[in-house]
């Protein structure tokens, strides 16, 4: 018996090692692709595209084949069998069981494996090819304000993505299946409940702001600001927040993003001469993403234990730093003197004026990417409701422009005059991406929940922010979120960190208090 | 019969397509690794190494497994069988035969396949691990001028590389086998003959220079030159030579290199405040490499048809531009006015003075990387002779310092006082690289041969260089070298381009004439 047990131990260790080796290989191929993508966005010469497309396609195929290979399925089954058999016989956790970390690696890989093996490769390729063709059509449709030019392709993408969802789970709501591609462990019902609460509470709040007589300073950052000086200031921002330059770098990209691993998490931003505030807040946002990545455990590199949880948690980190820190009054008390070193023309701007300018609500804005902290979520809600109904078959593509405009009128009180500034404004559907928009709002909601919990655990942060001290806040995030990687499923991660499940309560408290004060609102 | 033939055609096409798909995949993985290496040298944050090492190791394993898989061997055998069978039956080339391009792809892949499958993976990994440990030992040995600290590791590397060579061909001279890793299609005998001629002719030429009373201007570029201005000037150099910025970029790296593909061939250089000439010549050298890569045919991307021939041909391109163009008198007539725009302090320098300063011979220099166009090759000859004898077992590691110093005294008339500036000066042996040093000299020799042939085909280039017109020269190189990728084996490529096999004649004519004039030498 002892020998059998020893053999069983050895065999399971072998199986797990083989499995982990495969997981690491897949992860390294993905991280290599990440570097190629960063390179493409940031430094690649214009005409490098044909070769880069082939390199990325090859890495993607290799990764897919490694994941969906029979060996992966057999290793998963063996490891899951071991755990179950051993639990059943002993009635308790035996030493041969997978430990908590190994179990998490198996769980995450199983999920990916099941999804990728259930969709025929032909369909994946058809979606990819259709999306490639959709992109120029969308671009032309938007340029010419001609929705009909894009409609047939959009229809095809909706059909294909519904078919894709049916392969993964024919019994489930197809929109819920697509949502789970971006946010695997939060129920669609939870997301819907959160968005519903945002809509119910933000619409009246924005109406109240619209009716308010308060006159905020909106031009604290008006002017023309040199690109090089903006870049120097962006580096000051990152220095000030504690960015680890030995594991990161700052570059410019047309669409700012951050990417990388815990050893090398890079930030990009962009500079426009007339938008100094935009480059500062965008840099802080991307810092939040990169800072999460840098907080993942070194020893987890190559497995899900060293990878970030999904889109909502990632976005909670960027929004926490951008909004709860970077748009706070104490932050501007801290940062304005630094900004004045680069831009003496800010000499006469007060922290209050900077704070007000950074928190102006644009209640007649039609464009999501130009939205403020409040109206942003209504843009999200509208797209969420429309794409959900499209995928479910409750809405025809031809009805989208009308429904879009009606919803803007209803929720935001403005009606787009063209589809170009209406339902054609965003690129995402042309990529075949349906289901992830809501993770932006979930991220904001979670940011507020985490910030409130941290604030309660550690005492008021305002004084620390005013002093430019971010170590305690970051330490709390490291301990409660970053270091866990994908060890816990998202609801457990949130519950462990904050003592409760995901809720919009703290976000609504935060915005009602903040904007109630800013706009002197009655009843807020 | 017609049906059989059609089926045979279809089946061969299928086989070739499958084969090419596999070749493309291997190539794309290699090119992806190339981007990761560029990134590591140029932009990666300091602490990114642990993750990068794993990513590169994974890509290298995947590439090795794809190449050495049974399927690759079977496809190669099928394709080689088809060609042979069909040739035998018909007595002439049938339509089912592989065409010339396909045959070249099969030939190059077969060569790689045979080499990689013949060496046990354990040995490859042992060499890699030993080299990793050797590097810090070499570094310390050099810093402390303590050859004995490095000797045992060097001995182990020599043994392992000899074993490696024996796996590939137990009947061949092991040094010839190692040499073929870098230069597969030029015989070691040819290389030896060339190096022998260089030694025989350069030793007396350098002696004559040593005895010469000529007083060359050596300080045309003396002074301190700002890094940013040097970078601007490096861009001027590349502009002037016709570098395609849409498919390239310039960055700095501690050890300048160029890398990439025909869609994206990047140059790096470095700037030292007191060495303006060095940054110019190094930039021109790297331009030559990148310009070769950019001349490879777009449609060949992903197979050997779109890849550069090996190290000697690559080096011929960098040396041709660096030496035959960049160190010529007409080049300085063209370029000095451009340089003066960036550095007004060059106002009084004449083209003759610039030319003389760019061609000064350092007959008492001990360090290869600081050598001139003549003494450089004696550094190469010495290392070549020593490493050849080491691998063949004709020399013990313990004898290296003594033999090294003796040879320096004999060939160059200087004796190193320390091993740090003697046999420990270069990094290469610590990497386990034995056999490629001579390709630098072969490259110089081939550069002269190609330049002479181009000059004969197209008329005197001097006037064009004086005008900054490089299109015709580049067109000749595109047509005769670049566009062929690996279609021809190296001796055929050289013969097609120049009408004869590789010979040191033109290099010796070139240096004897050039330095005979510069130093007023009798008999030259």
């Amino acid at each position: 018996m002892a020998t059998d047990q020893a053999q069983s131990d050895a065999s399971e260790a072998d199986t797990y090692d083989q499995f982990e080796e495969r997981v690491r290989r897949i992860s390294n191929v993905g991280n290599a692709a990440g570097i190629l993508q960063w390179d493409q966005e940031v430094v690649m010469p214009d005409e490098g595209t044909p070769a880069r497309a082939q390199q990325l396609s090859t890495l993607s195929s290799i990764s897919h084949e490694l994941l969906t290979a029979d060996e992966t399925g057999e290793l998963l089954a063996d490891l899951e069998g071991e755990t179950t058999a051993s639990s059943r016989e002993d009635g308790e956790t035996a030493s041969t069981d997978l430990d908590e970390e190994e179990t998490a690696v198996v769980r995450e890989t199983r999920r990916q494996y099941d999804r990728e093996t259930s969709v025929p490769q032909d369909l994946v390729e058809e979606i990819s090819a259709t999306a490639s063709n959709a992109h120029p059509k969308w671009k032309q449709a938007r340029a010419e304000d001609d929705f009909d030019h894009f409609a047939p392709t959009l229809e095809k993408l909706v059909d294909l993505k519904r078919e894709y969802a049916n392969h993964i789970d024919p019994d489930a709501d197809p929109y819920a299946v697509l949502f789970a591609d971006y946010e695997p462990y939060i129920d669609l019902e939870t997301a819907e409940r959160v968005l519903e609460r945002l809509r119910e509470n933000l619409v009246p709040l924005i109406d109240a702001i619209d009716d308010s007589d308060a006159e905020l300073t909106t031009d604290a950052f008006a002017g023309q600001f040199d690109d090089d000086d903006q870049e120097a200031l962006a580096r000051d921002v990152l220095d000030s927040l504690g960015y680890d330059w030995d594991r990161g770098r700052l570059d410019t990209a047309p669409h700012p993003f951050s990417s990388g691993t815990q050893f090398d998490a890079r930030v990009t931003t962009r500079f426009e001469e007339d938008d100094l505030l935009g480059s500062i807040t965008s840099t802080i946002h991307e810092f939040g993403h990169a800072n999460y990545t840098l907080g993942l455990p070194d020893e987890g590199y190559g497995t899900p234990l060293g990878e970030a949880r999904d889109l909502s948690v990632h976005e909670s980190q960027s929004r926490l730093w951008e909004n709860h820190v970077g748009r706070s009054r104490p932050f501007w008390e801290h940062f304005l003197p630094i900004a004045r070193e680069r831009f003496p023309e800010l000499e006469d701007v007060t922290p209050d004026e900077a704070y007000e300018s950074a928190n102006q609500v644009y209640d007649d804005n039609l464009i999501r990417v130009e939205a403020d902290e409040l109206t942003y979520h209504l843009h999200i809600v509208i797209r969420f409701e429309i794409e959900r109904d499209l995928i479910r078959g409750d809405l025809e593509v031809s009805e989208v422009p009308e429904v879009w405009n009606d919803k803007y009128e209803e929720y935001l009180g403005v009606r787009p005059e063209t589809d170009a500034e209406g339902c054609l404004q965003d690129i995402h559907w042309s990529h075949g991406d349906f289901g992830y928009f809501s993770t932006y709002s979930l991220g904001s909601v979670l940011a507020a929940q985490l910030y409130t919990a941290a604030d309660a655990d550690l005492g008021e942060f305002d004084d620390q922010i005013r002093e430019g001290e971010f170590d305690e806040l970051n330490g709390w995030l490291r301990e409660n979120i970053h270091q866990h990687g994908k060890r816990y499923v998202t609801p457990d991660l949130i519950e462990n960190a904050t003592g409760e499940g995901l809720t919009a309560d703290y976000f609504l408290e935060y915005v009602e208090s903040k904007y109630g004060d800013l706009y002197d609102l009655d009843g807020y």
Side-chain angles (χ1 to χ4, degrees), chain A residues 272-287:
Chain A
E272 289 177 22
E273 286 217 326
D274 60 354
D275 190 12
L276 175 62
L277 181 64
S279 86
I280 295 171
T281 53
S282 159
T283 303
I284 299 175
H285 181 97
E286 297 306 333
F287 164 81

Side-chain angles (χ1 to χ4, degrees), chain A residues 1-13 82 86 89-90 94-96:
Chain A
M1 274 297 278
T3 310
D4 281 0
Q5 184 62 51
Q7 278 180 348
S8 163
D9 280 8
S11 134
E12 189 192 300
E82 286 282 347
S86 157
E89 281 165 22
D90 305 354
S95 65
T96 53

Side-chain angles (χ1 to χ4, degrees), chain A residues 103-177:
Chain A
T103 305
V105 176
V106 170
R107 177 191 69 226
E108 296 294 328
T109 309
R110 159 62 72 189
R111 190 185 163 277
Q112 264 195 294
Y113 173 83
D114 283 351
R115 287 181 86 86
E116 288 207 27
T117 50
S118 56
V119 183
Q121 192 57 14
D122 285 356
L123 178 59
V124 171
E125 281 165 22
E126 193 181 354
I127 290 171
S128 170
T130 308
S132 291
N133 292 325
H135 181 71
K137 282 202 191 297
W138 163 75
K139 217 167 161 178
Q140 197 184 334
R142 190 176 67 159
E144 297 173 4
D145 186 29
D146 178 8
F147 181 76
D148 291 344
H149 185 71
F150 180 50
T153 314
L154 178 56
E155 212 162 288
K156 188 167 179 202
L157 280 169
V158 168
D159 288 346
L160 288 170
K161 289 297 276 194
R162 200 186 292 129
E163 192 183 335
Y164 168 94
N166 279 332
H167 278 288
I168 292 170
D169 187 348
D171 301 323
D173 168 12
Y175 190 70
V177 175

Side-chain angles (χ1 to χ4, degrees), chain A residues 420-438:
Chain A
E421 56 180 8
C423 63
L424 288 171
Q425 69 178 262
D426 274 324
I427 198 174
H428 308 69
W429 287 345
S430 83
H431 286 159
D433 290 334
F434 301 92
Y436 88 73
F437 250 97
S438 58

Side-chain angles (χ1 to χ4, degrees), chain A residues 212-218 356 518-520:
Chain A
S212 155
D213 295 329
E215 299 218 344
L216 270 63
T217 300
T218 58
E356 290 178 8
L518 267 167
Y519 284 91
D520 290 327

